[in-house]
Amino acid sequence: MDAANIAPTLRAKDYKSDVAPVWCPGCGHFAVLSAVTKALAHLRLAKERVAMISGIGCSSRLPAYVDAYGFHGIHGRALPIASGLKAARPDLTVIVAGGDGDGFSIGGNHFLHACRRNMDLTYIVMDNEVYGMTKGQASPTTQPDWAKSKLTPHGTGMRPFLPTAIALAAGASFIARGFAGDPTGLTKLLVEAIEHPGFAFLQVLSPCQTFRPEQKEWKHLVHPSDMAPTDDPVEAARFIQADDGMALGLLYVRRLPVWQPQNQPTATPADLEREFAL
């Protein structure tokens, strides 16, 4: 990590902004916010060298609650924005935050190509298997028989998206799963993800107490992965396909070339302003 990014000792609370979260009581995203600030404090990252990028959704409010640079973009476009920022400012630590709807539906195509491009980004997807901000519609990770949405009263009838399997197939070099109810384990995974050189994908099971109250049971269902982290994609694929979706920990990590544009710019911002001037 660039020595210029290292800050004097700060505590986790020093990375929290003055904006009070508006998430529902009991939302798992509170724990994700706490884990993010703890990870930044552990890594002693200078606030002015950290940028958090998000799209739209409950989870995408995260940048507002972190005292660092942030950008709240449009739906499903967090990864393109983050990629552009990292291309222009490779010295920054860029963390991307979103949910299962933002990341796997509207932004699904961007997710695939971010995995294979392997820029040095950390992508946190807070997965609660529902669109919470728009009052409870099925998302790509919702089970086919979930029939509590007015839009899909008989369930979706479709197999759920498997984020870790898709990430592996698309070429991600770091794949992990954490749980909001395991703040210590989640913080550790975040530290490892930020330190990983390349695209680090972290799926966080983050219960939605309002529209998926049954997810309170997740605390009884999650369990540590019984597979040591592997750099073998075949071994990882076998494990992920047999997994119940509740195994926590680092599942796959591999050193792959990190993509960064090598060409020099052919125009300055002033050139672009002149070109687009009306």
Side-chain angles (χ1 to χ4, degrees), residues 130-136 146 148 208-214:
V130 73
Y131 283 89
M133 180 172 281
T134 48
K135 302 191 183 303
W146 186 69
K148 295 184 179 179
C208 174
Q209 304 282 8
T210 300
F211 296 105
R212 302 296 305 267
E214 69 274 20

Side-chain angles (χ1 to χ4, degrees), residues 25-265:
C27 176
H29 299 353
F30 285 102
V32 180
L33 171 62
S34 178
V36 167
T37 57
K38 287 178 180 176
L40 295 177
H42 177 83
L43 293 168
R44 298 175 57 198
L45 291 174
K47 296 180 182 180
E48 67 274 16
R49 293 300 188 99
V50 175
M52 294 208 65
I53 311 298
S54 69
I56 296 294
C58 297
S59 54
S60 292
R61 296 178 182 274
L62 200 70
Y65 307 142
V66 177
D67 189 11
Y69 284 108
F71 191 95
H72 191 177
I74 57 177
H75 218 338
R77 302 297 183 266
L79 284 170
I81 295 168
S83 299
L85 174 61
K86 189 66 180 180
R89 289 290 305 273
D91 56 309
L92 298 181
T93 295
V94 180
I95 302 170
V96 194
D100 39 299
D102 184 72
F104 303 144
S105 180
I106 299 95
N109 188 48
H110 299 299
F111 176 54
L112 298 178
H113 296 287
C115 289
R116 76 184 185 92
R117 189 174 294 116
N118 199 40
M119 294 187 80
D120 190 13
L121 303 169
T122 299
Y123 188 31
I124 308 167
V125 177
M126 289 167 257
D127 190 352
N128 53 20
E129 302 177 0
V130 73
Y131 283 89
M133 180 172 281
T134 48
K135 302 191 183 303
Q137 296 83 33
S139 85
T141 54
T142 302
Q143 293 297 318
D145 58 350
W146 186 69
K148 295 184 179 179
S149 167
K150 293 180 180 177
L151 290 182
T152 51
H154 305 294
T156 67
M158 293 188 290
R159 293 183 296 276
F161 191 93
L162 300 177
T164 52
I166 297 294
L168 181 68
S173 57
F174 179 107
I175 300 170
R177 183 185 295 123
F179 175 49
D182 174 26
T184 301
L186 182 57
T187 302
K188 180 176 180 294
L189 287 175
L190 270 168
V191 168
E192 292 178 287
I194 294 171
E195 289 186 317
H196 174 72
F199 185 76
F201 169 58
L202 176 55
Q203 179 192 15
V204 180
L205 304 177
S206 182
C208 174
Q209 304 282 8
T210 300
F211 296 105
R212 302 296 305 267
E214 69 274 20
Q215 291 174 350
K216 293 177 183 176
E217 292 302 310
W218 279 2
K219 63 184 177 185
H220 302 300
L221 300 176
V222 296
H223 54 86
S225 167
D226 57 8
M227 181 190 74
T230 178
D231 62 357
D232 183 343
V234 176
E235 183 181 357
R238 288 197 188 99
F239 176 82
I240 288 171
Q241 290 295 341
D243 175 35
D244 62 358
M246 291 289 165
L248 306 181
L250 177 56
L251 306 177
Y252 174 77
V253 60
R254 186 177 185 184
R255 288 294 184 107
L256 294 173
V258 177
W259 191 85
Q260 183 66 32
Q262 300 300 317
N263 298 329
Q264 295 300 313

